[in-house]
């Protein structure tokens, strides 16, 4: 690992609010978790890629959400709600069509999130367990647009 990479991982073990001489609670069995925040196009995925090269495991919530949309049960539910225009039989969900339906309608967005978010959360938890158990992984990176929400 490069010197800079080591410094990044070391810095991630301590919260920003700690003062000089303050001790971080020792939990050697848990790896640090780094949450990436920022708007669309801010470089979260680029930073996540850099951290992968330093030995981190990345939890990519967007990829998990896309995988959820590909699940047959989710496609069937979307087809029941909004018809074949968003989930044609035998093909992938049309994300643009779904977006047009939900992003101007708070109730429809909440319904979609109620379907997708539990699947994404389960995937995130599974990856955390895998990364915690993998001795090659130095830290876990959360690339999750709605991390604080």
């Amino acid at each position: 690992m490069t010197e800079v990479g080591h410094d990044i991982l070391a810095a991630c073990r301590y919260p920003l609010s700690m003062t000089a001489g303050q001790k971080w609670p020792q939990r050697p069995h848990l790896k640090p978790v780094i949450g990436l925040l920022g708007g669309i196009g801010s470089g979260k995925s680029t930073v996540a890629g850099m951290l992968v090269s330093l030995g981190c495991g990345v939890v990519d919530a967007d990829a998990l959400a896309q995988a959820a949309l590909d699940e047959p049960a989710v496609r069937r539910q979307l087809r029941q709600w909004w018809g074949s225009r968003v989930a044609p039989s035998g093909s992938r969900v049309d994300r643009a069509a779904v977006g047009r339906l939900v992003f101007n309608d708070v109730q429809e967005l909440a319904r979609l999130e109620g379907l997708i978010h539990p699947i994404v959360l389960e995937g995130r938890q599974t990856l955390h367990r895998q990364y915690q158990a993998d001795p090659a992984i130095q830290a876990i990176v959360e690339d999750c647009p709605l991390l604080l929400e």
Side-chain angles (χ1 to χ4, degrees), residues 72-139:
V74 170
R75 284 197 319 267
R76 278 192 303 275
Q77 183 61 63
L78 296 180
R79 200 174 304 118
Q80 280 183 338
W81 289 344
W82 301 313
S84 61
R85 66 179 181 239
V86 298
S89 209
S91 66
R92 299 182 86 176
V93 170
D94 182 343
R95 292 178 67 179
V98 171
R100 286 190 296 275
L101 287 167
V102 302
F103 291 118
N104 291 320
D105 187 325
V106 176
Q107 289 177 326
E108 293 298 331
L109 178 59
R111 186 158 67 156
L112 177 65
E113 289 175 343
L115 178 65
I116 299 297
H117 286 188
I119 298 167
V120 172
L121 177 60
E122 183 180 328
R124 288 174 58 210
Q125 291 169 338
T126 297
L127 286 171
H128 273 263
R129 285 191 297 275
Q130 289 172 355
Y131 292 151
Q132 287 291 348
D134 186 341
I137 299 295
Q138 301 295 308

Side-chain angles (χ1 to χ4, degrees), residues 1-7 54:
M1 182 176 298
T2 67
E3 185 176 332
V4 171
H6 184 272
D7 291 345
L54 299 173

Side-chain angles (χ1 to χ4, degrees), residues 6-26 32-34:
H6 184 272
D7 291 345
I8 289 172
L9 290 177
C12 293
R13 294 180 190 271
Y14 303 96
L16 297 175
S17 62
M18 289 187 71
T19 59
Q22 192 175 10
K23 297 268 186 195
W24 177 253
Q26 294 300 307
V33 177
I34 304 162

